[in-house]
């Protein structure tokens, strides 16, 4: 079986679980090669303070069968990084699947890859996708044609398993789920805005808007201009 080329865009302040949870699934798919791309191959600092080492540069990275963008606060810095946005456009042009988890969908949107499409993101920032002409969908995983987006952080495992089923078949995805013993049983029913304390949810949404909305609007304006 030919290699399945999965290209991940890394960047400073990436949320590590957005990347590492799907990567654990990707690594178990048959014939898979995962490429971690950034401007250079120096270690990239995650939101946890420790680093992930890219395997290739934006210039040298091979074409993706699956293009994947994780999320994190650093996504919003990518709005000013035309080289990274152009990398996403080039890779998406020939990829079979264009994908993201959490706020990674904002990078795809800023690159002009989600206009008019249905997509999801972290719940606290989800509605801001509409600034890019994207239809925000409050679901754990959203598939719209060749675009697959996952919601916030821990949904990366659900996203990766669903993508595995689309690309490799349900039997492979089910085997990977069992091998990883993915059988979540959280101790609290507080992991969603539907079940969490309403005031906590309101404050989190407001913090996200205060820190991100202006940058999102600027990026959306540049895209339309």
């Amino acid at each position: 079986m030919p290699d399945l080329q999965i290209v991940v865009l890394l960047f400073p302040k990436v949320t590590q679980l957005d990347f590492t949870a799907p990567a654990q699934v990707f690594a178990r798919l048959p014939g898979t090669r995962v490429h971690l791309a950034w401007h250079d191959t120096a270690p990239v600092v995650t939101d946890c303070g420790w680093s992930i080492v890219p395997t290739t540069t934006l210039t040298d990275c091979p074409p993706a069968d699956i293009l994947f963008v994780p999320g994190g606060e650093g996504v919003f810095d990518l709005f000013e990084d035309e080289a990274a946005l152009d990398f996403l456009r080039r890779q998406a042009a020939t990829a079979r699947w264009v994908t993201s988890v959490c706020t990674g969908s904002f990078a795809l949107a800023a690159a002009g890859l989600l206009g008019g499409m249905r997509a999801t993101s972290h719940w606290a920032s989800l509605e801001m996708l509409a600034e890019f002409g994207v239809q925000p969908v409050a679901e754990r995983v959203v598939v719209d044609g060749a675009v697959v987006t996952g919601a916030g952080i821990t949904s990366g495992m659900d996203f990766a398993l669903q993508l595995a089923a689309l690309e490799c078949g349900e039997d492979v995805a089910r085997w990977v789920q069992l091998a990883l013993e993915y059988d979540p049983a959280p101790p609290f029913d507080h992991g969603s805005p539907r079940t969490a304390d309403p005031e906590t949810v309101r404050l989190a949404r407001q913090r996200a808007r205060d820190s991100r909305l202006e940058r999102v609007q600027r990026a959306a304006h540049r895209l339309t201009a």
Side-chain angles (χ1 to χ4, degrees):
M1 180 179 181
D3 285 341
L4 177 66
Q5 308 288 344
I6 300 179
V7 171
V8 182
L9 178 65
L10 288 183
F11 48 87
K13 297 183 287 184
V14 63
T15 295
Q16 63 82 20
L17 191 60
D18 286 359
F19 159 66
T20 53
Q24 194 67 56
V25 174
F26 296 158
R28 290 177 180 260
L29 300 182
T32 298
R33 294 192 63 190
V34 180
H35 306 274
L36 314 182
W38 185 232
H39 289 291
D40 53 48
T41 56
V44 172
V45 179
T46 71
D47 65 340
C48 291
W50 45 265
S51 298
I52 297 174
V53 181
T55 62
T56 187
T57 66
L58 303 183
T59 301
D60 296 334
C61 186
D65 297 310
I66 297 173
L67 174 63
F68 172 57
V69 185
E73 191 60 33
V75 160
F76 301 92
D77 297 328
L78 294 176
F79 293 170
E80 309 296 330
D81 189 338
E82 191 56 37
L85 295 179
D86 189 55
F87 171 79
L88 293 178
R89 296 182 191 110
R90 292 197 314 272
Q91 289 284 343
T94 56
R96 289 204 295 273
W97 301 101
V98 176
T99 74
S100 66
V101 163
C102 198
T103 53
S105 53
F106 281 86
L108 296 178
L113 300 174
L114 297 186
M117 304 194 76
R118 301 168 69 251
T120 192
S121 189
H122 190 284
W123 63 265
S125 298
L126 175 62
E127 295 306 317
M128 286 185 274
L129 279 176
E131 298 286 340
F132 291 102
V134 180
Q135 181 181 343
V137 181
E139 295 177 4
R140 195 122 170 115
V141 182
V142 174
V143 181
D144 189 343
V147 174
V148 185
T149 53
I153 309 177
T154 60
S155 65
M157 189 69 79
D158 304 64
F159 149 85
L161 289 169
Q162 187 159 338
L163 181 61
L166 290 168
E167 174 63 30
C168 302
E170 282 195 12
D171 287 347
V172 170
R174 288 172 183 271
W175 180 87
V176 172
Q177 180 179 356
L178 179 59
L180 297 179
E181 199 174 349
Y182 179 51
D183 185 25
F188 312 108
D189 188 17
H190 206 260
S192 162
R194 294 185 298 274
T195 58
D197 169 64
E199 180 61 12
T200 302
V201 170
R202 186 191 69 79
L203 290 172
R205 281 202 174 102
Q206 189 61 52
R207 281 197 296 269
R209 287 181 63 84
D210 290 347
S211 66
R212 297 171 175 175
L213 182 58
E214 184 177 348
R215 287 184 288 173
V216 167
Q217 290 174 333
R218 285 201 306 267
H221 177 73
R222 283 197 300 272
L223 194 63
T224 55

